[in-house]
Structures are given as structure tokens and as C-alpha cells.
Amino acid sequence: MLTSDEDVIPYSFDGTAALKQRPLCVTFPRTTEEVSACVKLAAQHGVPVVTRGSGTGLSGGSVPIANGVVLCLVKMDRIMELDARNLVMRAQCGVVTKEIDDAAAQYGLFYPPDPGSMKISTIGGNVAENSGGLRGLKYGVTRDYVMGMTVVLADGEIATLGSKCVKDVAGYSLKDLFIGSEGTLGIITEVLIKLLPRPAARKTMLALYDSMEAAAQTVSAIIAAKIIPCTLEFLDRMTVGCVEDYARIGLPTDVEALLLMETDGHPAAVADEAARMLEIAKQNGARETKMAGDEAEGARLATARRNAFSALARVRPTTILEDVTVPRSELATMVKFIADTAAKHQLLIGTFGHMGDGNLHPTFLTNEKDADEMHRVEAALGEIVEKTISLGGTVTGEHGVGLAKKAFLRQQFGDASYGLLKKVKASLDPNGLLNPGKIFE
Ligand SMILES: Cc1cc2nc3c(=O)[nH]c(=O)nc-3n(C[C@H](O)[C@H](O)[C@H](O)COP(=O)(O)OP(=O)(O)OC[C@H]3O[C@@H](n4cnc5c(N)ncnc54)[C@H](O)[C@@H]3O)c2cc1C
């Protein structure tokens, strides 16, 4: 357990800009039973508990509460079972996401969800945020791979949910309640994960455009052609410029949009789909296309997207990464609205994201010490969120509500559904000790 100022400072914030709070202490349990003991003790004394994985969250979910305990679960890092006959893996919550897929790969298996933070984030954090990634279009998000879990409840009791059975409809699907619950309903200590056979082949392509509309049209046309690629990601002009400056991969910096496309599966199907996707990109106005010759070149092309956040983060002292999501048909409208909003408020916003999922990451490059600029950021953020809701979108596609989005949740849900969310919280955490202040105002 850490208690001194110097020791707890690194646990006072997560990946979200401008949010900090010193906790009372930080504890590092190693087993479900130790988590249970901590929670029982905290419940006895009425002390709030904030669960933390690697702290890479982008909505303030693991920012501590004053006088609260932080349960940091990174030492719960054991893969407990890889059952290749049933295509499942059981892991403690602190295992790093990439290690899950690396372990699966040794058996020719595949764990598809690949958040940009996969080299650092924990599987428990991924489940608690229902994280997505670059392969979401074809393979879905974390929820689609959770078959079961062990959860420590608000009173310290230990519940086991779900099973290895492919079909299991016994009772309510309680595990689903905890997926995306952001540490507000219970502490997920172990996860039972579904694995897939590893795809035998993959092709990676880039297409460069003089207009964002043309890139969006390409995405619609690919889907209309009944191709479901595993990845359809885009970068806007500012992001391409920052990536090139950072990674020097030879991208032209005068393009309005870059599309990263990937298809995987049987080699014959991959070759056919890749050729058709490049053709569709050209028909829809791509000024240049590239297909990687091999895996290594594919990884190099994908670097453009994988480095987008880090490249943008170098430009100004503070980076605020947004996560709005709209129906795919509204993507071009939304991207234009973001660019207009940036100009109106004289702000720097680079936009990239999961074009195939309608999930955009407008990234504010700003300075939290400049009060005037931060007011403009706040105004622009509010306008972007309002527009998203008016287009039938959602305030968060993958980063969660946490502290950052809680002001907008009632508006998106409406009174009746918001009330339902609060009833669930009140019934599972009646004393409000699990991650208080998050999700709800
Ligand atoms: C560079 C970068 C790229 C990113 N890319 C993506 C992306 O592509 N897709 C995406 O979805 N997200 C992305 N993220 C956001 C973030 O990595 C994810 O939300 C991730 O799942 C958080 O995992 P973590 O272990 O860091 O959790 P933390 O940040 O520590 O916690 C996140 C939330 O989960 C709760 N929590 C953590 N562990 C548990 C547990 N065991 N039981 C119950 N509650 C728990 C916490 O209380 C908090 O509310 C990115 C972040 C960064 C910094």
C-alpha cells in the first residue's frame, strides 16, 4: 500500500487531460480474495474505492476520489488457463491486452480487440470500458469476446458470471451489466475470453484523397459492395501532417484525407477483397493508392494510424482526445462540422478515427494553462457533442463516460432510460462507494 504524496502522485490522474485528484492511498492486490478483503474493509468504514488498471483511460474513469482508496490491479497479471479445445482463455484482470493476443497466437488463435493502447492497457480496463479498436468493423468490440467473469461486489462478496458454454441463457445476462460499467458496479478480477482461429492472411492498403467526402464515399461503397474489411480508419489533413513530421513514413502532407484499409481471412478471399477495395477507392476519387507487399510493409503503413495520437500530442502542451460517434451516413457532415467549429473558435483540432464504425476522435491540441483558450475548447466541445446527438450519434463510442461525458448523458438517454441506469447503480452499489462521481452527475 502506498500512502506518501510522492508515491501516490503517479496514481492521481489517468490519460485524460486536466483531471487530477490525490487519493488517500493506493493498494495492489494480487488475488480476487485480496480484492474482496480490501472492498469489505472499505465498505465497513464507508471509504470510496476507485478501481484502476493501467490508467490509460480517456474519460477520467480511474481518476481518484479525495479520501478514497485506489485499487490498482496491475499485479493481477496471470493468464490462468488457455483452453484451446474450447477456444477460451481465463486471465486475471491486470494482464496487458497485447499479451492476451500474443498468448493466443502461440496456439494459432486470435483475440481481435486491439485498442490503440493495447501495449499498456489491461484486459480488466478494456472490459470495464467495453473498449474498441482498429478491427471493430469486422470483429466487434471487447463485449463480443467476454464469455464470463469473476466480480467482487460492493459488499465484498465474490460472484462468478457466465461460462465456457457457447450457448448459455440461464437467468439474466449479468456479465453484460458489468461490461462497460467503468468500475461503478463491481471489480472485475478475472475474465473468461472467447478466442477465434487466427486469420491466415492479411492485406494492408492506403488510399489518399483530396476531399474527406471522397474518403467517406469510399467507405460506404466498400460496405455496399458487401465487403467487410477488418479495418477502415481515416486521418484528416492535420493528423497526416503531424504523423509525417513524427514518423517520416513518406506520406504527402497536402492530402485532405488518408484511409487505412485492411482485410484478413482466407488468402484467396483476402486477395480478391483487397483488389476490389483498391478499385472502389480509385472509382471514388482516391488520388493515390498503395498496397503493402508483405506483413512488414503492412505494419509500416498501419504506423500512420497507430501513431496518430502520439504524433498530435507533440504539437501543444495539452491533448484532449474526443470520442463522438455518428451513424456512418453522417460521417462527412460531422467531420466538416468539426473543422468549421475549430475555425470558429480559433482552435487546432486534428481528427482521425474508425471511419467504418462512424467513430471519430477530434483531438484538441491546446494548453490547459491558457484559461481563455480552455473556455473556447469547452464551448467547441459542447457544440460538437450537441451536433453528434442531433445526428443520432452517441457521446462516446469507446472511451466511456467517466467524468468527461457525464454532463451529456441524460440528454442522450432521456429521463426514463437515465432513471433506469441510476436504478441499476443504486441496487448494486446502494452506498455509492464504487467509483462515485463517475458516469452520473
Ligand atoms: C494512446 C491511447 C490510445 C487509446 N486507444 C483506444 C482505442 O483504440 N480504443 C479504446 O476503446 N480505448 C482506447 N484508449 C483508452 C483506454 O486505453 C481504454 O479505455 C482502456 O480500456 C483502459 O484500460 P486501463 O487498464 O488503462 O484502465 P484504466 O484507465 O485504469 O480504467 C478505465 C476504467 O475502468 C475501470 N476499471 C479498470 N479496471 C477495472 C476492473 N478490473 N474492474 C472494474 N473496473 C475497472 C476504472 O475504474 C475506470 O473507470 C486509448 C488510450 C490511449 C492513452
Side-chain angles (χ1 to χ4, degrees):
M1 185 164 85
L2 306 176
T3 52
S4 76
D5 273 346
E6 295 82 350
D7 285 341
V8 301
I9 283 170
Y11 302 90
S12 324
F13 53 88
D14 66 2
T16 323
L19 297 172
K20 292 185 191 69
Q21 177 61 58
R22 186 206 188 283
L24 186 65
C25 63
V26 184
T27 63
F28 297 88
R30 287 176 188 269
T31 62
T32 298
E33 289 67 29
E34 286 183 10
V35 171
S36 163
C38 289
V39 172
K40 279 185 178 156
L41 208 57
Q44 256 172 33
H45 294 275
V47 174
V49 173
V50 176
T51 309
R52 182 183 177 97
S54 293
T56 64
L58 293 170
S59 55
S62 57
V63 173
I65 312 288
N67 295 320
V69 176
V70 170
L71 279 187
C72 183
L73 303 181
V74 289
K75 290 189 196 286
M76 297 183 67
D77 60 355
R78 267 191 320 125
I79 292 179
M80 308 168 84
E81 182 189 6
L82 204 153
D83 178 352
R85 283 186 315 165
N86 283 305
L87 305 186
V88 297
M89 181 191 293
R90 189 185 298 278
Q92 280 188 306
C93 58
V95 176
V96 166
T97 316
K98 186 170 181 304
E99 288 170 13
I100 300 272
D101 187 44
D102 288 348
Q106 289 174 19
Y107 291 79
L109 297 173
F110 184 35
Y111 175 66
D114 59 340
S117 51
M118 66 191 284
K119 289 185 188 161
I120 323 166
S121 66
T122 63
I123 190 71
N126 292 173
V127 176
E129 293 285 10
N130 190 17
S131 296
L134 273 60
R135 303 183 187 123
L137 177 60
K138 178 170 175 181
Y139 290 106
V141 295
T142 304
R143 179 185 300 280
D144 301 304
Y145 297 87
V146 179
M147 297 183 78
M149 62 177 70
T150 303
V151 191
V152 173
L153 304 174
D155 58 3
E157 287 299 304
I158 298 170
T160 306
L161 310 173
S163 71
K164 283 186 186 177
C165 299
V166 174
K167 297 171 89 176
D168 182 352
V169 294
Y172 302 136
S173 184
L174 292 177
K175 71 175 170 58
D176 283 293
L177 212 48
F178 290 90
I179 301 169
S181 64
E182 303 185 26
T184 63
L185 300 182
I187 294 115
I188 301 155
T189 56
E190 288 174 26
V191 190
L192 186 66
I193 299 161
K194 171 173 120 178
L195 303 171
L196 300 182
R198 211 161 183 84
R202 166 175 301 143
K203 278 274 176 218
T204 307
M205 293 150 279
L206 280 189
L208 304 171
Y209 296 86
D210 291 325
S211 85
M212 184 58 74
E213 284 75 15
Q217 271 162 21
T218 302
V219 169
S220 305
I222 288 173
I223 290 166
K226 303 187 180 59
I227 302 172
I228 302 291
C230 58
T231 299
L232 277 179
E233 299 281 314
F234 84 100
L235 274 60
D236 73 354
R237 184 190 183 104
M238 175 180 291
T239 313
V240 172
C242 291
V243 166
E244 187 49 30
D245 205 32
Y246 174 61
R248 305 262 177 238
I249 44 184
L251 299 171
T253 50
D254 61 341
V255 291
E256 286 303 320
L258 175 154
L259 209 54
L260 170 74
M261 308 184 283
E262 267 184 354
T263 168
D264 67 0
H266 186 280
V270 167
D272 173 59
E273 283 184 359
R276 285 165 63 209
M277 282 160 67
L278 279 190
E279 197 45 47
I280 292 172
K282 284 178 199 151
Q283 282 163 3
N284 283 278
R287 90 172 195 205
E288 197 183 326
T289 56
K290 265 187 200 151
M291 167 131 45
D294 54 27
E295 282 269 330
E297 199 189 345
R300 199 177 61 78
L301 295 185
T303 308
R305 169 61 182 88
R306 294 223 172 256
N307 281 340
F309 179 65
S310 318
L312 287 167
R314 296 163 73 229
V315 178
R316 300 283 314 278
T318 308
T319 314
I320 300 177
L321 184 62
E322 257 302 316
D323 177 37
V324 290
T325 305
V326 290
R328 282 185 287 226
S329 54
E330 304 291 355
L331 259 170
T333 310
M334 196 63 210
V335 173
K336 180 164 182 333
F337 182 83
I338 292 166
D340 292 347
T341 308
K344 175 177 156 194
H345 292 283
Q346 297 166 331
L347 293 168
L348 280 181
I349 307 181
T351 303
F352 64 95
H354 316 283
M355 202 162 219
D357 306 338
N359 187 190
L360 301 168
H361 294 312
T363 306
F364 290 70
L365 313 179
T366 181
N367 182 357
E368 64 187 284
K369 294 196 173 128
D370 181 335
D372 175 58
E373 188 167 323
M374 289 311 281
H375 277 122
R376 284 183 280 126
V377 167
E378 212 173 294
L381 262 176
E383 287 168 27
I384 289 171
V385 170
E386 295 276 343
K387 180 75 175 173
T388 302
I389 296 175
S390 78
L391 292 174
T394 172
V395 298
T396 169
E398 56 183 17
H399 295 165
V401 178
L403 293 171
K405 291 295 174 63
K406 63 181 186 171
F408 304 106
L409 200 61
R410 187 190 285 271
Q411 188 185 350
Q412 182 178 323
F413 266 67
D415 287 345
S417 322
Y418 190 77
L420 203 53
L421 283 183
K422 290 192 102 167
K423 278 186 200 158
V424 171
K425 168 72 175 167
S427 82
L428 285 173
D429 180 23
N431 298 321
L433 291 179
L434 297 183
N435 217 356
K438 313 294 167 66
I439 299 185
F440 303 102
E441 287 218 273

